[in-house]
Each structure stands twice: as structure tokens, then as C-alpha cells.
Amino acid sequence: MSPTLLSHRYGKQKIRLTHLDRSTEPHRLTIAAVGVTLEGDFAASYTAGDNREVVATDSIKNTVYVLAREHGVESIEEFGVALARHFVGTYATVAAARIDLEEEIWSPIRAGAESFPDAFERVASETGTASALLGADGLVLTSGIEDLQVLKSSHSGFVDFVRDRYTTLPDVDDRLFATSVGARWRLADGASGDVDFRTLRAGVRQVLVESFARHDSLAVQQTLHAMGIAVLDRFTTVAEINLVLPNQHHLLANL
């Protein structure tokens, strides 16, 4: 039996995009990394070096810049949808397009009551994320936050877990709890047309950190669940949320 190419996709990742909109007050600054992945009938390029149906990755990069210039970047979600629709609608060979975006968080600088509409500072370690997948089953759009660093210095414990000959961790009813929150959420069907994505991300972020701060944690898992429920209770437009909270250990030194 001869080898068979079962699946294939290609694209351009980490396209650096800086978009500035001076028509607003303050100016709207978007600094993001854009990834484009295309699926379709490109098998001839893999098996025979026939590139007649291949959109060059350099062209993919240029498309990101052209669409940003022509249509603006109201939000990374809307820009991701515009890119996905462009690639699927422009090239007959492209059956599906996935656009992944990571946005740095920048805000206008303030000094007391004075604000500067044209001066910015990066205010957070995390990045905003969005993913737009357009294919035969329609559009799937998700938003998210990655690398949101939070820490509780008290009101966190972990006891009554499985004990066997592999266990050295003691029970602790008051520990330091630190994590880097990763969150991705999907809107309810039909809700995306009326959503201000920038405002929604800021709101979800606020609910996540507030619920983390208020929760008396008996386990990382319990706190994760409470944070997800808080988001779903606050925002009826959010249909589901996925959270990842890796435990960043800060262990007491034995002196």
C-alpha cells in the first residue's frame, strides 16, 4: 500500500499588526499577533510541488495589513471574522479559514485628573484572544484572555485528598494560591451582532478577578468552577466558558 496524504493545512502565524485609529478620543491602539490557517484542496502542492492553487504566505501577511487599513480594527473578534470571510470568499480552493488573534492590553496614560489621548502604557501582563473559524458548518467565534496573573495570600486551602505511598504533600487550610488564568468563551447563537467585544472582554475580566478574590477556596478546581459560574450569571450573551488555572506553587521554605 502506498502512503496517502490524510490531511493538510497551512498558513502564516504571528503576523505582527499595529493599528492606530486617530478618529476616536482617546485614540484606539491595537497591537496584536495574527495567525491565519487555511484548509482546502492543496494536496498537489504536497505531493507534486504544484502550487497553482496555493495562496502564498507572504500574500496572507499582506492581506492582514490591507484589510486592517481598509476596514479598521473595531475589535479583534470583528477583524478575525472579516479575515476569515475574505479568504473563504476570495479563493475557491479555500474551504475553511481559521484566524487566531492575540492582543496586547494598552491604555491611555493618565496623570491625576489629566488624560493623554495619544500616549499609551501597557497595563497588564495578559493578552486578549479571539478565534474565528469559518467553514462548511458556518462561523464559530470565540473570545478569551490568556496569562492573567492573580494571587491570593490567604483564604485558600487543600485538605482531605487521596493519601498513599506516593503522597508527601501535607494538608493545609491556609496557603498562598497563585495562578495564570486562561479563559475562552463563546457567545450564544445570534448574540454576536449586538456585542461590543472590547467592553465584554473588560467585563469578563473584572468578574473573573472579583470572583477569584471573594472566593474562599477549598481547591483550585472549586475556585475555577465558581469563576466560570460568576461569568455566566453576569453575562447572558455568554453561552459557555472554558477556564484553565495552573497552580503556581509558592511553597514555604523549611528553615
Side-chain angles (χ1 to χ4, degrees):
M1 178 183 295
S2 60
T4 301
L5 181 65
L6 293 178
S7 65
H8 56 277
R9 62 183 62 88
Y10 81 100
K12 185 78 168 178
Q13 306 301 314
K14 300 296 183 182
I15 302 169
R16 183 74 171 176
L17 172 67
T18 299
H19 183 271
L20 178 63
D21 182 357
R22 292 194 177 101
S23 68
T24 66
E25 185 76 18
H27 298 166
R28 181 185 293 129
L29 176 68
T30 303
I31 300 178
V34 183
V36 178
T37 303
L38 304 181
E39 296 186 20
D41 187 9
F42 307 114
S45 178
Y46 291 84
T47 60
D50 182 347
N51 301 317
R52 285 176 292 177
E53 301 294 345
V54 173
V55 183
T57 56
D58 190 68
S59 302
I60 292 174
K61 176 202 67 178
N62 293 340
T63 300
V64 171
Y65 297 143
V66 171
L67 264 64
R69 182 61 180 266
E70 292 181 348
H71 302 289
V73 184
E74 290 292 325
S75 68
I76 56 175
E77 286 86 353
E78 291 167 287
F79 187 57
V81 171
L83 283 170
R85 286 177 173 161
H86 169 84
F87 286 110
V88 172
T90 302
Y91 304 102
T93 313
V94 177
R98 180 185 179 96
I99 314 298
D100 295 300
L101 303 101
E102 298 178 354
E103 181 183 10
E104 298 176 3
I105 310 301
W106 292 76
S107 292
I109 294 174
R110 298 185 62 87
E114 186 178 9
S115 62
F116 302 88
D118 58 353
F120 296 82
E121 60 178 333
R122 188 169 182 182
V123 295
S125 61
E126 76 263 19
T127 55
T129 66
S131 177
L133 173 61
L134 180 60
D137 296 329
L139 176 68
V140 178
L141 179 63
T142 59
S143 302
I145 298 170
E146 293 294 331
D147 299 322
L148 172 57
Q149 300 285 336
V150 291
L151 182 149
K152 288 173 70 72
S153 57
S154 189
H155 292 94
S156 174
F158 187 57
V159 300
D160 295 332
F161 47 88
V162 172
R163 292 203 165 275
D164 57 22
R165 67 191 186 96
Y166 306 105
T167 304
T168 59
L169 186 70
D171 283 355
V172 58
D173 57 9
D174 195 6
R175 65 175 179 173
L176 192 152
F177 172 18
T179 187
S180 174
V181 178
R184 287 185 178 269
W185 57 89
R186 181 182 61 81
L187 298 184
D189 293 341
S192 60
D194 301 321
V195 171
D196 181 333
F197 288 100
R198 291 179 183 268
T199 300
L200 178 60
R201 178 177 287 104
V204 170
R205 181 193 190 279
Q206 186 63 28
V207 170
L208 288 172
V209 297
E210 286 180 0
S211 58
F212 175 84
R214 291 192 173 114
H215 190 245
D216 287 333
S217 178
L218 300 178
V220 175
Q221 295 89 333
Q222 184 203 23
T223 301
L224 178 152
H225 185 259
M227 292 166 68
I229 293 297
V231 171
L232 295 174
D233 285 345
R234 182 74 63 88
F235 300 101
T236 58
T237 54
V238 176
E240 64 180 56
I241 184 168
N242 177 277
L243 291 169
V244 178
L245 272 68
N247 198 353
Q248 298 177 336
H249 295 288
H250 294 258
L251 301 178
L252 185 65
N254 185 355
L255 302 179

